[in-house]
Amino acid sequence: MKSKRVSGHVNIHRGLIVTLCLIMEFDIGQCDAIFCVNVPSLHMDAANKIWNFLQVNDRLIKSDVIVGLGTHDTRVAMETAMLWFEGWGDVIVFTGRSGNLTKGRWNRSEAEVFRDIAISMGVPSCKIYIETESRNTGENIRFTHDLLKKINKVPHRIILVQKPHMGKRTAATFWKQWPQSNTPIVSLVVRTLRITLERYPNNDVGDLGDVISVMMGYLQRLPLYYKLGFQTHVRIPSDIWDSFLFLQKTGLYNSHFIS
């Protein structure tokens, strides 16, 4: 773990954070029986190809800010806090009001829920900023920029933290939606949760069928959102698209598609 000069209250949580890092890497997300619905092996083979393709885990670089993007998976908040404790960023921004998967889930914004998780882990509240109005990934990016500009903290180096199957789309959206300014981006690091598809289902994200359906929707959106001007182009290899078409034809995982 990279060292970070901290003192007082934060030092108390060092041992806890080490433990949580180990939990995050090896235990959180182990699929309980109620979430591990029986998915045929051929379906899992295709789904795993897509899952691995959509992830992004860039080499970590010390950055000005770590941004945890709002979602229904609260492990994103935990990963964001862990990266701060490891010294990879000076401050945290949690961004998000609600989206398709969180509407009506909480009585607070995604950003507020994530902030409270990070504070419960020992991150000082003065190191956390929240953006509570965005409702999609593009707004996450633009409104975070606006917040940081308002407090004179527009970064040169930024880390974005996301769930695994949103990695490619998050990076592509950032480069399209982050406003041009006098503070150029020197480095962008996208960090997705390091967890297998089989271990990902839990009470927050649903069972394996739910996760595959959402993932299919995310892959479908990559070419569509490029054409609509929401993000930059992402090349989808033929074997990944073949896996998508195979799963689509089953009719079992199409509930998150858009017209």
Side-chain angles (χ1 to χ4, degrees), residues 118-242:
I119 289 174
S120 74
M121 292 171 63
V123 179
S125 60
C126 64
K127 293 293 184 180
I128 303 173
Y129 298 90
I130 59 172
E131 180 287 300
T132 61
E133 296 302 320
S134 56
R135 296 180 180 272
N136 56 57
T137 308
E139 290 184 352
N140 287 154
I141 300 302
R142 295 197 308 275
F143 293 0
T144 293
H145 176 275
D146 293 346
L147 169 65
L148 292 170
K149 183 178 180 180
K150 184 177 180 180
I151 62 176
N152 296 314
K153 289 185 179 291
V154 176
H156 288 286
R157 295 175 175 82
I158 187 168
I159 298 172
L160 303 179
V161 186
Q162 252 295 10
K163 54 194 176 187
H165 38 330
M166 273 290 290
K168 287 281 198 305
R169 189 169 133 205
T170 297
T173 302
F174 178 88
W175 290 119
K176 186 69 175 183
Q177 299 292 337
W178 186 262
Q180 298 294 320
S181 71
N182 294 326
T183 308
I185 293 296
V186 175
S187 70
L188 170 68
V189 172
V190 176
R191 182 78 164 185
T192 54
L193 303 180
R194 292 155 295 167
I195 189 170
T196 64
L197 173 59
E198 290 84 353
R199 294 174 63 186
Y200 186 71
N202 68 7
N203 190 57
D204 284 338
V205 302
D207 64 32
L208 197 51
D210 296 328
V211 172
I212 295 174
S213 295
V214 169
M215 178 184 70
M216 289 282 287
Y218 289 163
L219 183 59
Q220 183 216 23
R221 283 162 173 77
L222 285 181
L224 291 178
Y225 282 6
Y226 168 65
K227 291 178 181 178
L228 291 169
F230 297 160
Q231 63 177 57
T232 58
H233 180 257
V234 176
R235 188 185 74 84
I236 303 174
S238 59
D239 63 321
I240 302 301
W241 197 248
D242 287 345

